[in-house]
Amino acid sequence: MAAHSDDFIDPDSIGVNASTEPSIGELIERRLSRRDALRGLAGVGVAASLGSPFAVTDAQAQVNGPSTLTFKELAHTLDDTQHVADGYDMQVLIRWGDPIIGGGLEFDPATLTAAEQEKRFGYNNDYLGLYPMPAGNRSGDRFLMVVNHEYTNPNLMFAGLGSGRGAALKATKEQVAVEMASVGGAIIEIAREGAGWKVVPDSKYARRLTATTPMEISGPAAGHAKMKTSADPTGTRVLGTFGNCAGGSTPWGTWLTCEENFHFYFDGDAARLADTELGKRYGVAKATNAWGQHVDRFNFDKEPNEPNRFGWVVETDPYDPGSPPIKRTALGRFKHEGCTYALAKDGRVVFYSGDDERFEYVYRFVTSKAWNPNDRAANKNLLDEGTLSVARFDADGKVAWLPLVQGQGPLTAENGFATQGDVLVKTRLAADLLKPTPMDRPEDIETNPVNGRVYVVLTNNGLRKPDQVDKANPRATNDHGHILEIAPKDGDHAAPEGTWSIFLLAGKPGQDAGARYHRATSENGWLSCPDNIAFDSKGRMWIATDGAPSAAGVADGVYAADTLGFGRALTRCFYQAPTGAEVCGPIFTPGDTTLFLAIQHPGEDRNSTFEKPSTRWPDFKPGMPPRPSVIAITKKGGGVIGS
Ligand code: FEO
Ligand code: CA
Ligand code: CA
């Protein structure tokens, strides 16, 4: 969700972690500079030590510097459309409202009903995943694409709501029903067509998840007293998913969609919540949209436990259109950004997940059993058993994974954790007792397939005060974010510890204190608010941003950098989004010949309305509002993206 517009509430700006530890209080520089020295030029360049923030040596002044990425860098741009580096093509694959189930008429937002929206591509596309079609196919020509639909911008979807914070609260009952049908997720089938891609019409796999789709609840918190409602006295069945930000996949080919800012959908009197401590720790207080006005279960005065049934990771099998999505409670309840996997040495599966809010934590889940690559059915419930841990980033460069296991340490009945279900429903409160490191908004966490290191993207935290600085979150008023790099001990993702270092500190070198990249980073190569990342098959990092400084004429975009060698952390601008949009879900096809991006909330700008949006991308048709869309980027004439 955008962080740059005053007119929209930034969901993550309201830190609710009261246990934020004070600073470690030491300067970070000594350890970092020692590491940089060990890496030589390959280390993170300290731009501030140069005469000019963008000064480069003669050798580095060559077109690409020491980067292995050979595309001609794009200039920072901010206007009503999208831009990509020279030599690349962009194609809009699918837009909000395009029919995906049962054909359908051309999209007309003025006549859109909930029943119609349920058959069409949803709003605010975020995470993207690709599943070969048929399963196991290596041609790279046909996939099931899964897409998260995170939230809605009612003032850009419907006429007459105006702009600003109050607009969403004015939505009618019918409009709320459309909103509920436009969030969640989508499964579409796509195939290569010529140099680009097409959506396969009427695919039997096409499917929408919405805020009303029946889902199951499994794992240790299923049936927990706090999961029971009047509609579901068993605490094992729930309607829908929303706040679906990032996600992940599993080695057995299922889709994980993550519930992030679920608290915005619930309204009521927070002082009268059955469990005020729990509600407060998750920010359940005041809705920012109208759902609670029109649908009883979103009013917690009427249905106090309904908020507890959100904030989970939802597993869906895209290859089985009839299978119910399942909320896997063993992975914990928080504002999950994503959930990405790596394999432990013994074949168990390790999932990394960030809790995207200021001063929240980084988590890891390790399955109890190993993945069975020869028997898909045997992996069906692998996510129901395992160990959830939370990360402490120590000043000496060690990261420790602290297990959230009932009965261990402070997680006792006396402290309110009588069962593992208690630990999971109240994950944040359980984690607080273990004293993990409060981070600068953990967004995506991804493992580099080439070097095996884990990258934790911390998007920003303008609320961190000087006395709250620590070595892993080294800047007060961190408006631009940073990226950490973790090396699991002995390369084993299930090891109880590892080491960490800083990959880059975002912001404009020379202007934003402490911004640090490779010293050859150009004046277009710096970035702000890293959010989702992807690795190409060479292990190079592609960084999508959410919250670029529009006042500086910079749109959110995509930046690419080597992670190894002389071009390490030399970020280069590849793509710039239309005004108001953030870039989500970067994912490459095998062989890196197509890069798919989800362009979310185009036109989410101050004073932007349905009638007068700041952009009408991608249609630019009079009367048509901006439409969140998935795009495909290919190299002109074919070839490897970035080369
Ligand atoms: Fe929905 Fe964490 O961005
Ligand atoms: Ca974000
Ligand atoms: Ca995100």
Side-chain angles (χ1 to χ4, degrees):
M1 199 167 187
H4 55 271
S5 167
D6 293 340
D7 279 351
F8 290 85
I9 295 171
D10 182 347
D12 314 300
S13 68
I14 311 145
V16 289
N17 187 353
S19 74
T20 303
E21 291 292 292
S23 77
I24 295 166
E26 241 185 290
L27 290 174
I28 59 162
E29 290 304 328
R30 203 169 68 192
R31 176 170 158 266
L32 290 173
S33 51
R34 192 188 76 236
R35 285 173 161 258
D36 291 348
L38 289 173
R39 290 192 189 115
L41 264 182
V44 184
V46 182
S49 70
L50 303 171
S52 151
F54 299 114
V56 291
T57 65
D58 286 348
Q60 291 159 340
Q62 56 184 295
V63 181
N64 308 308
S67 176
T68 67
L69 291 144
T70 58
F71 65 85
K72 180 165 178 268
E73 190 172 25
L74 183 67
H76 282 151
T77 319
L78 179 63
D79 59 27
D80 65 353
T81 195
Q82 59 179 2
H83 303 270
V84 70
D86 277 355
Y88 290 83
D89 286 321
M90 298 179 287
Q91 175 205 355
V92 174
L93 176 72
I94 189 166
R95 305 158 294 185
W96 165 49
D98 283 339
I100 62 172
I101 299 165
L105 303 168
E106 202 183 330
F107 178 60
D108 178 3
T111 59
L112 185 61
T113 61
E116 197 51 41
Q117 175 64 75
E118 278 182 3
K119 297 188 284 184
R120 293 172 181 265
F121 196 63
Y123 205 79
N124 276 345
N125 34 221
D126 198 301
Y127 173 79
L128 303 176
L130 293 173
Y131 298 80
M133 273 299 285
N137 178 22
R138 291 180 183 276
S139 74
D141 287 339
R142 201 173 184 97
F143 296 94
L144 296 179
M145 173 182 269
V146 301
V147 184
N148 284 8
H149 292 300
E150 186 180 1
Y151 69 108
T152 52
N153 291 93
N155 63 313
L156 300 176
M157 297 169 73
F158 311 116
L161 295 183
S163 66
R165 287 175 188 235
L169 291 164
K170 293 185 218 155
T172 64
K173 188 171 186 179
E174 291 68 31
Q175 289 169 337
V176 164
V178 173
E179 288 184 72
M180 290 175 64
S182 69
V183 297
I187 298 171
I188 57 175
E189 186 173 356
I190 63 170
R192 229 181 256 279
E193 184 178 57
W197 291 83
K198 67 164 184 187
V199 177
V200 176
D202 290 323
S203 166
K204 69 172 185 179
Y205 297 95
R207 186 173 178 186
R208 281 292 321 283
L209 307 187
T210 72
T212 58
T213 305
M215 304 192 173
E216 295 177 4
I217 299 170
S218 75
H224 190 281
K226 288 187 192 298
M227 299 289 278
K228 295 177 179 173
T229 64
S230 53
D232 171 31
T234 67
T236 59
R237 312 187 74 80
V238 60
L239 292 181
T241 187
F242 43 83
N244 306 80
C245 193
S249 61
T250 63
W252 52 97
T254 58
W255 164 33
L256 304 179
T257 182
C258 295
E259 297 176 339
E260 190 196 40
N261 290 305
F262 64 89
H263 58 304
F264 281 139
Y265 300 79
F266 294 97
D267 216 348
D269 179 357
R272 288 169 52 202
L273 270 169
D275 187 338
T276 49
E277 186 193 26
L278 181 62
K280 194 171 174 200
R281 189 64 185 82
Y282 284 81
V284 175
K286 208 75 211 138
T288 60
N289 64 29
W291 294 22
Q293 296 169 35
H294 302 297
V295 184
D296 280 357
R297 69 183 168 112
F298 297 113
N299 180 326
F300 50 78
D301 293 340
K302 295 176 182 162
E303 201 58 79
N305 283 341
E306 189 72 358
N308 301 336
R309 292 142 64 81
F310 298 86
W312 304 104
V313 174
V314 185
E315 183 179 23
T316 304
D317 184 353
Y319 292 109
D320 181 359
S323 63
I326 303 174
K327 298 201 178 187
R328 299 290 186 183
T329 63
L331 282 78
R333 176 172 174 261
F334 46 92
K335 294 171 192 174
H336 285 274
E337 168 72 16
C339 190
T340 57
Y341 81 85
L343 286 179
K345 285 194 166 167
D346 59 8
R348 286 179 295 160
V349 193
V350 181
F351 292 87
Y352 293 100
S353 193
D355 185 351
D356 181 8
E357 200 162 77
R358 288 160 171 80
F359 301 112
E360 292 302 337
Y361 310 132
V362 166
Y363 294 84
R364 181 186 83 174
F365 177 79
V366 184
T367 57
S368 296
K369 296 191 193 107
W371 165 51
N372 183 341
N374 303 313
D375 182 3
R376 188 169 192 248
N379 305 306
K380 199 170 165 222
N381 293 315
L382 219 48
L383 293 180
D384 283 342
E385 257 180 66
T387 304
L388 182 68
S389 302
V390 63
R392 192 187 67 222
F393 293 87
D394 291 337
D396 64 359
K398 189 180 111 178
V399 54
W401 293 100
L402 315 170
L404 288 155
V405 177
Q406 195 280 332
Q408 288 189 18
L411 302 180
T412 59
E414 300 77 66
N415 287 332
F417 302 98
T419 63
Q420 187 62 16
D422 290 338
V423 171
L424 296 168
V425 173
K426 306 190 285 183
T427 302
R428 282 183 166 184
L429 288 162
D432 290 343
L433 297 180
L434 302 181
K435 304 224 173 304
T437 306
M439 310 298 288
D440 287 348
R441 281 187 61 191
E443 294 255 22
D444 207 357
I445 303 174
E446 298 274 347
T447 301
N448 185 329
V450 172
N451 67 14
R453 293 188 176 179
V454 181
Y455 294 80
V456 180
V457 182
L458 301 156
T459 197
N460 60 46
N461 182 355
L463 299 180
R464 190 176 289 274
K465 299 193 181 71
D467 68 354
Q468 293 173 310
V469 163
D470 60 49
K471 290 194 175 184
N473 300 277
R475 292 189 290 184
T477 320
N478 181 8
D479 288 329
H480 300 286
H482 57 292
I483 300 177
L484 296 186
E485 182 182 57
I486 295 175
K489 190 171 190 205
D490 303 323
D492 188 355
H493 291 276
E497 61 181 64
T499 56
W500 66 268
S501 60
I502 287 178
F503 180 70
L504 63 77
L505 292 160
K508 185 173 182 178
Q511 176 181 299
D512 299 308
R516 300 191 339 162
Y517 305 81
H518 190 287
R519 67 169 68 193
T521 299
S522 84
E523 60 190 301
N524 291 305
W526 66 272
L527 61 101
S528 180
C529 304
D531 188 330
N532 297 141
I533 59 172
F535 292 97
D536 62 25
S537 52
K538 296 187 177 82
R540 301 181 299 195
M541 184 190 289
W542 295 72
I543 306 166
T545 72
D546 171 19
S550 48
V554 184
D556 276 314
V558 175
Y559 300 78
D562 290 320
T563 56
L564 297 164
F566 290 109
R568 179 177 154 90
L570 201 178
T571 48
R572 307 183 74 241
C573 184
F574 180 71
Y575 171 85
Q576 292 273 276
T579 183
E582 71 170 279
V583 185
C584 305
I587 187 168
F588 288 94
T589 51
D592 306 328
T593 52
T594 299
L595 171 62
F596 290 105
L597 301 173
I599 309 306
Q600 189 181 123
H601 58 73
E604 189 186 83
D605 285 300
R606 185 192 299 254
N607 300 328
S608 191
T609 61
F610 180 92
E611 293 80 5
K612 258 189 119 173
S614 57
T615 175
R616 293 190 186 276
W617 184 87
D619 299 352
F620 294 107
K621 208 169 96 185
M624 183 64 85
R627 298 168 77 181
S629 302
V630 175
I631 66 162
I633 296 179
T634 50
K635 197 170 183 180
K636 284 187 197 298
V640 171
I641 308 270
S643 292

